[in-house]
Amino acid sequence: MAPLPSKTIFPIIFLLFTIFSLSKAELDAHYYDQTCPQLEKIISETVLNASMHDPKVPARILRMFFHDCFIRGCDASILLDSTATNQAEKDGPPNISVRSFYVIDDAKAKLELACPRTVSCADIIAISARDVVAMSGGPYWNVLKGRKDGRVSKASDTINLPAPTFNVSQLIQSFAKRGLGVKDMVALSGGHTLGFSHCSSFEARLHNFSSLHDIDPSMNTEFALDLRKKCPRPNNNGDAGQFLDSTASVFDNDYYKQLLAGKGVFNSDQSLVGDYRTRWIVEAFARDQSSFFKEFATSMLKLGNVRGSENGEVRLNCRIVN
């Protein structure tokens, strides 16, 4: 058989590449328009109701989305319960304090009544994360949908989450593995405008920091001394900690203003000011909240595009595989 001319080969290769690319279906804002048109209303009402009863819900849902997408892509693996033979992601050390999984369970139960076997748990998390940001005063964006739920969840994988002790180089590397750039990383760090941290995540900055400094010198001194009162050694109060910015229930740009004042709670937060690659972005977001909101929404869409496994499913119960 005569070899194919080069003019023929290129279109065939391009066609194969196109088919392979489309084999993982593209996410779509209108994915459920025909199959579950009431989806967003059901989820937003559920999330709003839960947030009114417990003001910690918005920060926990936003963190849930980050921690889900960063492990195996946005596949709701964070929702799976541990079994006798497997310790799941939600029981990994960084996820012990995520909580509020019941909000997703509640939305899923209502959706199973309205449109059975249709909406993935992964999409519920993504929509809920958008809703908690918007209802806290932050930006609104159209969530792309069509994710499938993963079947694998391992607590040991949580070691891949960015730690509060990271420096900028480590943060850049961690986000780059998920296809996210430096600006995405600084914008998504702004999610800390909602939330609270227990002392264990930052107390190393307050006591015996180094051979030269008892307290991390990048911290505002008055702020550090205040935190030391909240987090003494030994600390017998497991609930002790600090809100991550001064308007912790409002989604705004105060987080960046706090960083410029030396009042970042985590080392990973404060390090954004001390590095030339990120300081200019912190300054821009502190100056212009609308710029932060725009970049945050863009970066959330990019994070939401980090895909899970190809052989996913639509779970009937978000805590167990079908």
Side-chain angles (χ1 to χ4, degrees), residues 56 60 63 93-99 164 195-204 206 227 230-231 235 237-244 265-266:
K56 293 177 182 173
R60 287 172 171 173
R63 190 156 169 247
N95 286 336
I96 297 298
S97 59
V98 173
R99 302 181 187 142
F196 175 89
S197 172
H198 292 101
C199 295
S200 57
S201 295
F202 59 85
E203 63 188 354
L206 306 174
L227 289 185
K230 293 177 179 175
C231 304
N235 180 14
N237 181 2
D239 293 326
Q242 173 67 22
F243 289 106
L244 299 181
V265 177
F266 298 146

Side-chain angles (χ1 to χ4, degrees), residues 68 74-76 79 120-127 147-149:
D68 183 44
C74 310
D75 68 346
L79 300 180
S120 69
C121 301
D123 278 342
I124 297 173
I125 299 177
I127 294 165
R147 296 167 189 80
K148 292 291 184 271
D149 299 323

Side-chain angles (χ1 to χ4, degrees), residues 115-135:
C115 9
R117 302 171 180 267
T118 302
V119 181
S120 69
C121 301
D123 278 342
I124 297 173
I125 299 177
I127 294 165
S128 299
R130 186 273 317 278
D131 286 346
V132 297
V133 169
M135 71 176 60

Side-chain angles (χ1 to χ4, degrees), residues 83 95 108 138 144 205 265 305:
T83 64
N95 286 336
K108 177 63 172 172
L144 303 180
R205 303 181 70 204
V265 177
N305 250 328

Side-chain angles (χ1 to χ4, degrees), residues 268-279:
S268 56
D269 291 329
Q270 197 58 52
S271 68
L272 300 177
V273 172
D275 192 294
Y276 73 94
R277 292 170 291 183
T278 48
R279 183 182 177 98

Side-chain angles (χ1 to χ4, degrees), residues 49-60:
N49 188 43
S51 301
M52 287 169 66
H53 285 91
D54 180 359
K56 293 177 182 173
V57 164
R60 287 172 171 173

